[in-house]
Amino acid sequence: MRKDIHPDYHMIDVKMTDGTVFKVRSTWGKEGDQMALDIDPLAHPAWTGGSAKLMDTGGRVSKFKNKYAGLGF
């Protein structure tokens, strides 16, 4: 590998929305910096099972189904 082309890989602290902090290796920031998350698995509906609905905005799914109806989708 060529020298001096890779970013510095170091330990940082990641602060979750509930205040817990854990250490992880990253190229973000500098050694010992803290990254505060606005959205994480504790708060996002995709992980918490919130009321998320799949919306067919603009009828894109319907257009696709009509266009490729003869192919057996």
Side-chain angles (χ1 to χ4, degrees), residues 4-73:
D4 301 327
I5 64 166
H6 300 286
D8 181 34
Y9 196 57
H10 50 271
M11 295 297 286
I12 64 166
D13 295 330
V14 176
K15 184 177 181 183
M16 305 286 274
T17 55
D18 69 346
T20 59
V21 177
F22 66 93
K23 291 192 176 286
V24 66
R25 291 178 53 92
S26 175
T27 58
W28 180 85
K30 298 182 299 271
E31 179 80 27
D33 282 354
Q34 185 177 73
M35 176 187 290
L37 300 179
D38 294 329
I39 299 174
D40 62 22
L42 302 173
H44 196 278
W47 289 287
T48 60
S51 59
K53 295 180 183 176
L54 177 62
M55 300 291 289
D56 182 14
T57 57
R60 285 184 245 147
V61 174
S62 301
K63 279 186 189 178
F64 178 84
K65 286 182 179 180
N66 291 338
K67 184 174 182 179
Y68 298 105
L71 297 177
F73 288 119

